Amino acid sequence: MRVAFYSQGCRLNHSEIATLNQQFSRAGYTCVPLEQVPDIVVINTCTVTENGDRDTRRLVHRIVRQSGDVKIALIGCQSQILKDKLTDLPAVQWVIGNADKMRLVSIIQTTVTEGFGAPVVIVPAIPEASFSVPITNRDQHHVRANIKVQDGCNFYCSFCIIPFARGPARSRVFSNLLAEAHQLVMHGHYELVLTGINMGTYSDSGHTLVAVLDAMEKIPGLCRIRLSSIEPTTIDDRIFSRLIDTNSKVCRYAHIPVQSGCDATLKRMRRKYSMASYRHQIEKIMQWNPDVCIGTDVIVGFPGESEAEFMETYSNLEQLPLAYFHVFPYSERQMAHSRKFENPVAQPVIQARAKRLRILSAQKKAAYCKRYVGQSMGVLIEQKKEYGWLGHTDNFISVCVPVHSTVARNTLVSCQLTHYDSETGLMHGVIDSSQPDGPA
């Protein structure tokens, strides 16, 4: 049977899809792109925002129009929260929650053997214990391979549904994590991206996230270790020191969500820090190494957010040495405590505020990237477009190299950065004439 995969939302979802892709392949299924009329489509869903819920419905209907006889498996966060609604969608044969989605191959094989009937719904409670993951040798969809470190969260921010969808915070077994890291590097990945819901809380048998970084530093052939989103209250000087160490494999990059730049709003969000402490953390990183690229997430239109509170957020984001931000219009979520809050912000106001922050983000990104024009930097080539090869520097600058260059997917090359295009958000570069053999 032919099976296709689609991942919505976060990097953790993408990591899980990479694991499932390999499991299905090993079980004898033919893994194909979504466009090649598969028999089964597996969708790892996201329910962080209402848009995620709506995107799933649209995707299911599009797949059914494209492949009339297809069977669809909806797995992950949306399945955990909205299982009763998802079975009403056309062609949905399986709705599997987060606790059992890694058993999907055996679940589907059982259905195929016994015959198709009513949708199979498996959504039990999520256990609290440390976990292992079937080891992936290669991420078929990403040059920068995602590796799952941790899952779940105990913080219960008032706007967030994830603790209900992903369950309590729990960590991946240390030896299992490292075994996959070795396999991914052995099969050609130069960069590993560590992912988790609340990654900084990692703890397994006395091993912390710092221990994970230390162990991965020693893997031969691994050139880059990138931290994905990490909560500001879970990072300390031991992690900071690796971001600024020029001899470390840890990338000069950190994505540290702020969610709001206003203390009053942060308090309603049940965030565990003040703007002063967040600012101190960001400025300390910049003092140690001003080349570190720091990004953030921010929510606009949280219930009760006045114009003055928004302007406080805008001013703080404008002043902070951030390279970019992801802007999320507030979305009311089932089970999230903020559903009970009064004084909702009108949608036109939310959209206008979001637009202002996105413009500010684009300006800050351009300013950060333009600092590197004229420099030579290592670029990991990831994909080919009609206008050039695309890749990233270790500090997360997106770089475009001409198509005629003698490069290929998944190569590390040294590039001379020539100019930044504000329209596309891309830095342009050329292959350095002194390009060395091997990884740059």
Side-chain angles (χ1 to χ4, degrees):
M1 299 185 76
R2 294 154 59 88
V3 59
F5 301 89
Y6 192 94
S7 183
Q8 299 176 307
C10 65
R11 281 192 172 276
L12 189 53
N13 272 9
H14 289 283
S15 173
E16 292 164 347
I17 281 293
T19 301
L20 286 169
N21 189 313
Q22 192 158 97
Q23 283 185 288
F24 274 86
S25 181
R26 288 171 177 168
Y29 290 81
T30 301
C31 299
V32 299
L34 192 59
E35 297 74 24
Q36 292 188 11
V37 194
D39 302 298
I40 295 171
V41 176
V42 178
I43 304 172
N44 203 6
T45 61
C46 175
T47 192
V48 168
T49 67
E50 185 179 357
N51 286 340
D53 296 348
R54 185 166 55 247
D55 289 346
T56 297
R57 296 191 294 269
R58 289 174 176 171
L59 178 60
V60 167
H61 286 287
R62 177 165 66 86
I63 291 169
V64 171
R65 288 195 300 270
Q66 173 185 305
S67 312
D69 295 329
V70 72
K71 303 293 184 184
I72 297 174
L74 299 179
I75 66 173
C77 293
Q78 209 172 126
S79 299
Q80 191 75 28
I81 299 297
L82 300 174
K83 60 181 180 181
D84 296 330
K85 294 183 179 179
L86 297 181
T87 55
D88 293 334
L89 294 174
V92 171
Q93 181 63 50
W94 301 274
V95 176
I96 313 298
N98 278 316
D100 287 280
K101 62 185 171 187
M102 288 302 154
R103 296 197 304 111
L104 188 60
V105 172
S106 63
I107 293 170
I108 287 180
Q109 286 178 333
T110 298
T111 304
V112 171
T113 300
E114 296 178 354
F116 296 105
V120 176
V121 180
I122 305 176
V123 186
I126 300 171
E128 299 185 18
S130 295
F131 62 91
S132 293
V133 173
I135 291 174
T136 304
N137 293 330
R138 187 163 185 81
D139 188 332
Q140 299 293 333
H141 302 286
H142 302 95
V143 166
R144 299 182 297 116
N146 299 299
I147 182 166
K148 183 176 180 176
V149 171
Q150 181 274 344
D151 206 343
C153 184
N154 296 334
F155 282 11
Y156 288 92
C157 299
S158 65
F159 56 81
C160 190
I161 196 174
I162 291 302
F164 304 98
R166 285 275 182 175
R170 56 207 185 279
S171 299
R172 184 173 178 178
V173 173
F174 184 74
S175 58
N176 176 252
L177 188 165
L178 288 184
E180 181 168 59
H182 278 277
Q183 285 295 314
L184 287 167
V185 175
M186 188 183 303
H187 286 79
H189 288 285
Y190 289 122
E191 180 178 320
L192 300 182
V193 184
L194 306 189
T195 68
I197 295 299
N198 196 341
M199 189 170 58
T201 63
Y202 179 87
S203 178
D204 177 64
S205 302
H207 298 289
T208 64
L209 183 61
V210 173
V212 173
L213 296 176
D214 287 344
M216 292 180 66
E217 289 259 19
K218 300 173 183 175
I219 299 176
L222 178 59
C223 298
R224 295 180 180 175
I225 306 165
R226 190 178 301 276
L227 296 172
S228 62
S229 182
I230 185 167
E231 284 293 306
T233 56
T234 66
I235 42 182
D236 57 26
D237 287 355
R238 296 173 302 165
I239 293 177
F240 287 154
S241 65
R242 284 151 180 83
L243 293 174
I244 65 169
D245 184 357
T246 56
N247 295 316
S248 173
K249 295 179 180 179
V250 178
C251 293
R252 298 172 297 170
Y253 169 80
H255 189 91
I256 308 175
V258 66
Q259 306 302 4
S260 173
C262 170
D263 281 340
T265 308
L266 288 173
K267 186 175 181 179
R268 293 198 304 277
M269 288 180 168
R270 293 183 178 173
R271 300 293 281 175
K272 299 178 181 296
Y273 51 85
S274 65
M275 259 325 288
S277 62
Y278 184 91
R279 183 183 301 107
H280 174 73
Q281 212 167 41
I282 302 303
E283 290 176 345
K284 182 167 65 174
I285 297 174
M286 289 295 101
Q287 288 169 1
W288 287 358
N289 187 345
D291 290 325
V292 176
C293 174
I294 302 178
T296 196
D297 294 334
V298 59
I299 296 172
V300 293
F302 189 77
E305 182 186 66
S306 65
E307 182 65 20
E309 289 180 346
F310 169 73
M311 287 308 302
E312 188 175 341
T313 291
Y314 187 96
S315 177
N316 277 318
L317 292 178
E318 185 178 38
Q319 294 170 25
L320 281 168
L322 298 166
Y324 69 89
F325 14 100
H326 295 153
V327 181
F328 297 93
Y330 171 74
S331 182
E332 186 178 279
R333 295 284 75 202
Q334 179 182 353
M335 299 184 182
H337 185 70
S338 60
R339 290 188 69 191
K340 304 175 183 178
F341 290 2
E342 298 178 349
N343 301 319
V345 181
Q347 281 300 316
V349 175
I350 293 177
Q351 296 304 321
R353 291 175 182 174
K355 182 178 180 180
R356 291 182 65 185
L357 286 181
R358 290 186 180 118
I359 292 171
L360 177 61
S361 175
Q363 293 169 347
K364 293 183 78 77
K365 179 182 177 181
Y368 177 81
C369 290
K370 287 177 181 179
R371 289 164 44 189
Y372 299 93
V373 170
Q375 295 189 26
S376 290
M377 300 182 71
V379 177
L380 179 58
I381 301 298
E382 298 173 55
Q383 58 179 317
K384 189 177 184 180
K385 297 288 189 179
E386 65 276 8
Y387 49 82
W389 284 101
L390 298 181
H392 284 88
T393 64
D394 82 289
N395 59 338
F396 210 55
I397 297 174
S398 300
V399 179
C400 178
V401 178
V403 291
H404 56 75
S405 299
T406 55
V407 297
R409 188 174 186 264
N410 195 32
T411 56
L412 267 166
V413 296
S414 179
C415 292
Q416 181 84 14
L417 306 183
T418 58
H419 66 282
Y420 178 77
D421 185 344
S422 296
E423 291 295 319
T424 62
L426 291 175
M427 179 74 80
H428 289 260
V430 295
I431 300 300
D432 200 317
S433 59
S434 59
Q435 174 66 46
D437 294 331

